[in-house]
Amino acid sequence: MGASQWLMRHSATLSNVPADCASREVELKLLLSPSDVDTFRTAVTTRLAPHKPLPGVSRLHTTYFDTPDLFLRRQGLELRVRKQGGRWTETVKTIESSGRGFGLHDRGEWEAHIDSAEPDLAALRMRIEPDARPALILAEPGLAQRLVPVFDVVVRRSLWQLSPPEGTRIELTLDEGELRCGAAREPICEVEFELKAGAPAALFDAALLLQDDVPLRIGRLGKADRGYALLAGRTHAPRATTTTATVAAAQPVLFARGVTVEQGFQAIIENCSAHAFGNEAGVMRGTDPESVHQMRVGIRRLRSALRLFSTIIPTPALLGAELRWLSAALGAARDAEVLAGETLPALTADSDLDSDSDSDRTAAVQWTSLLQTASLSADTYRSRAAHALASPRYARLTLGLAAWLGCESWQSSSGKRARKALQQPLHALARGAVMRLHRKLRDTGKRLARATPEQRHRVRIAAKRLRYAIDSFQSLYPSKATHRYVRRLGKLQDALGQLNDAQVAGRLLHDFVQKERDLEHSMQSVVRQLDRRSDLAEPELLRCWKAFRRAELP
């Protein structure tokens, strides 16, 4: 879709946001590689047909202020003073943001022009409703005297005005520079689409047009978030080399009484997305295997959640296919890391490994070589996963997902019956979905005692889907009954997982031998140990299955 089609599309479909709504900031943040800046500038001109010609580049120096104990941060506010040209402007923003997981930031913002580089809290309070929470926080006794600079942002800013018809206005900025916190530095190269009037969907549509020429990545953190992270000794630079990226684990989804299907869908999908994409940095630049594991689980949870609501909210076919592609890339890396980091180290080089060897020394050398090959394989698959996340394909997937979910375009494509179903209580849909998945697992596992590895795999998948559904809806159910049920389901999953790890290990080891025949002896020894472990695990699996079958569904 070209720029003219984009302009025409929004002439009839966008609802207006008042142009003078100065206390609200709605923007889409994206990250850009410095090497793509020239391509980006050209794409803006050719794809988006900006209303104004390319302006000169302005220099902005922004200082963020807080107390030594970060009082403002803890209260959910960001306070900054910016110098542009010869003018000083102070701004306070709220931290909370709807859709932040999709790069869409929607928050309160108030500005005041001041005479120096020091904050003037009284001037800001005059811009805010007296009883509003930000005004009350800024009125805290002694706050002004406690404020100190905590970090700076220095950037070169390019600005474009995008003006589709019918009142839609977007301000597009490109910031190139760095964050400064003491001696620490972190590069900045980011794009912001700020909505001045219109609907948020216009921001994503404009960004998707640029994706045809240059990969833009979702920016889940604002400059202040990254500044505070730098202050704490962490980094979120797009091209950083840090190996200490934080691992994001799944968080519980909590529902209020009377939550609707629509509200439940939004909460669950945003929760799964935050879990999955919160590990993006760890997969791309870290070394912790848990980052790959958690991102893979997050993507599985997301796909499972989309499946739960699919009768009311169908997932676009292309989006579903791309999520499967991403899941496969992460799955290959996870399998290789489990083999190298868990399965093989758990198998000690005991007499079994040496039993057919000409000498203990030869067996030890072969065993060491096998461990090294597994480790190199894990590094290769980890690198491939990181490459997938750095690709334009992944950038388009995440931006497309954000556009579909973050702007709720799934609502406009729903029929009248589906829109009515969205307003029904969530607990009814949850009960039906969990019961259906419970029956599916029981039916799939009926012949578990004589199941082939492929049949066991189907049981394992059915158990995972049931577990993800229960995790999503757990706050709707009695806690004690749910805990008992989940405990038995979890033990069944562990038993199935142990057998699956052994099967995956055997497949990967077979691949090693195809490339390095001298590893065959060690591989055969390992496979024998894995087979013995599997034989011992079979009775435990059947015990867990029988216990689960006796469990009552909450």
Side-chain angles (χ1 to χ4, degrees):
M1 181 171 62
S4 61
Q5 289 94 332
W6 177 72
L7 298 177
M8 291 174 62
R9 170 181 173 181
H10 292 291
S11 66
T13 60
L14 293 181
S15 60
N16 285 343
V17 170
D20 59 350
C21 183
S23 62
R24 213 68 211 156
E25 178 189 59
V26 180
E27 61 185 11
L28 174 63
K29 290 183 178 292
L30 301 167
L31 304 179
L32 176 69
S33 171
S35 62
D36 291 327
V37 166
D38 290 340
T39 305
F40 172 82
R41 292 179 181 277
T42 301
V44 170
T45 302
T46 57
R47 296 279 184 180
L48 299 182
H51 179 66
K52 294 182 179 180
L54 183 69
V57 177
S58 60
R59 180 180 174 85
L60 279 65
H61 189 144
T62 305
T63 301
Y64 284 79
F65 288 84
D66 208 333
T67 64
D69 61 349
L70 306 184
F71 170 79
L72 291 178
R73 184 69 172 176
R74 289 186 284 108
Q75 296 299 319
L77 293 183
E78 298 168 0
L79 176 63
R80 75 185 189 200
V81 174
R82 170 174 292 170
K83 183 179 183 182
Q84 183 174 10
R87 299 183 67 185
W88 300 92
T89 304
E90 63 175 347
T91 305
V92 65
K93 297 183 181 183
T94 56
I95 292 177
E96 67 268 11
S97 170
S98 63
R100 175 173 290 198
F102 308 123
L104 186 65
H105 298 246
D106 181 358
R107 53 192 176 177
E109 178 186 45
W110 299 267
E111 290 186 347
H113 295 298
I114 53 179
D115 298 326
S116 71
E118 296 299 318
D120 183 346
L121 300 188
L124 273 177
R125 293 201 304 273
M126 292 177 63
R127 302 282 182 170
I128 309 173
E129 289 292 329
D131 294 335
R133 187 169 182 273
L136 298 176
I137 294 171
L138 295 179
E140 178 79 11
L143 176 61
Q145 290 72 33
R146 296 165 56 206
L147 292 175
V148 295
V150 286
F151 53 86
D152 294 272
V153 176
V154 181
V155 298
R156 300 177 304 278
R157 169 164 290 183
S158 301
L159 176 66
W160 296 263
Q161 298 290 340
L162 310 180
S163 300
E166 294 299 323
T168 301
R169 291 194 298 110
I170 298 172
E171 186 174 278
L172 171 60
T173 59
L174 166 65
D175 286 343
E176 304 169 83
E178 65 181 6
L179 274 161
R180 300 175 181 176
C181 184
R185 297 291 187 270
E186 183 173 307
I188 291 175
C189 188
E190 66 179 36
V191 174
E192 293 181 2
F193 291 84
E194 183 173 352
L195 189 69
K196 296 299 184 179
L203 303 178
F204 287 100
D205 287 335
L208 283 168
L209 277 180
L210 296 182
Q211 283 283 30
D212 292 338
D213 296 311
V214 59
L216 297 168
R217 308 180 65 80
I218 295 290
R220 305 179 199 282
L221 299 176
K223 294 184 182 69
D225 297 306
R226 292 172 59 182
Y228 277 102
L230 191 62
L231 181 66
R234 302 188 302 275
T235 179
H236 290 86
R239 293 287 182 262
T241 57
T242 178
T243 59
T244 58
T246 303
V247 174
Q251 300 299 316
V253 186
L254 303 177
F255 296 117
R257 183 184 297 272
V259 64
T260 64
V261 171
E262 177 183 356
Q263 293 166 335
F265 175 78
Q266 292 172 314
I268 292 170
I269 295 301
E270 184 154 351
N271 178 279
C272 295
S273 298
H275 177 201
F277 300 117
N279 289 287
E280 180 183 284
V283 174
M284 293 180 67
R285 303 185 294 275
T287 58
D288 189 345
E290 193 64 15
S291 294
V292 172
H293 175 52
Q294 289 296 333
M295 187 167 189
R296 183 193 189 193
V297 171
I299 294 296
R300 282 179 163 180
R301 291 181 61 226
L302 177 59
R303 293 177 61 201
S304 177
L306 291 171
R307 195 179 295 112
L308 288 173
F309 292 89
S310 60
T311 57
I312 302 174
I313 308 170
T315 304
L318 179 60
L319 177 57
E322 293 299 271
L323 286 173
R324 288 194 295 274
W325 160 75
L326 178 57
S327 184
L330 295 167
R334 174 60 180 167
D335 289 344
E337 289 187 330
V338 167
L339 175 66
E342 298 178 23
T343 304
L344 290 182
L347 302 175
T348 56
D350 57 15
S351 58
D352 178 75
L353 289 170
D354 301 337
S355 58
D356 297 329
S357 303
D358 294 333
S359 68
D360 290 349
R361 178 173 296 179
T362 301
V365 169
Q366 291 181 346
W367 175 247
T368 300
S369 179
L370 181 62
L371 290 173
Q372 291 175 341
T373 299
S375 179
L376 289 173
S377 176
D379 290 344
T380 298
Y381 279 106
R382 175 67 174 249
S383 179
R384 290 177 183 174
H387 181 74
L389 266 60
S391 69
R393 183 176 183 178
Y394 175 81
R396 178 166 286 276
L397 162 62
T398 54
L399 191 56
L401 176 66
W404 184 65
L405 296 172
C407 288
E408 303 171 7
S409 56
W410 44 272
Q411 291 179 327
S412 59
S413 61
S414 301
K416 183 176 180 181
R417 180 176 298 179
R419 286 195 294 271
K420 183 178 180 180
L422 288 172
Q423 303 309 314
Q424 299 301 308
L426 178 64
H427 68 79
L429 181 145
R431 181 172 181 271
V434 172
M435 288 180 65
R436 184 173 64 253
L437 292 170
H438 174 82
R439 288 195 297 267
K440 175 70 173 179
L441 175 54
R442 287 174 65 93
D443 292 343
T444 307
K446 279 183 178 178
R447 297 175 178 82
L448 190 58
R450 298 179 297 279
T452 63
E454 292 75 17
Q455 291 170 331
R456 272 203 310 260
H457 178 70
R458 287 195 289 271
V459 176
R460 190 173 69 90
I461 295 302
K464 280 183 177 294
R465 289 179 177 174
L466 174 59
R467 178 63 178 272
Y468 293 151
I470 291 176
D471 287 347
S472 294
F473 300 132
Q474 189 162 344
S475 68
L476 299 173
Y477 294 94
S479 57
K480 289 185 178 180
T482 303
H483 180 73
R484 288 194 298 268
Y485 182 86
V486 169
R487 185 172 62 247
R488 294 190 182 187
L489 177 59
K491 289 183 177 179
L492 174 63
Q493 287 183 271
D494 290 343
L496 288 164
Q498 183 177 349
L499 290 168
N500 182 72
D501 287 346
Q503 183 184 2
V504 171
R507 173 175 55 79
L508 293 177
L509 291 168
H510 182 268
D511 292 343
F512 293 166
V513 172
Q514 300 305 306
K515 299 175 183 178
E516 299 183 47
R517 302 302 302 184
D518 59 341
L519 295 177
E520 184 169 5
H521 179 271
S522 295
M523 184 273 287
Q524 291 175 349
S525 297
V526 171
V527 169
R528 284 196 296 271
Q529 286 201 64
L530 293 173
D531 287 343
R532 283 203 300 271
R533 288 191 169 202
S534 296
D535 291 340
L536 294 173
E538 289 278 2
E540 176 63 19
L541 171 62
L542 296 180
R543 282 194 294 271
C544 291
W545 173 246
K546 290 178 181 178
F548 171 75
R549 290 188 62 187
R550 293 193 299 268
E552 294 186 8
L553 188 65

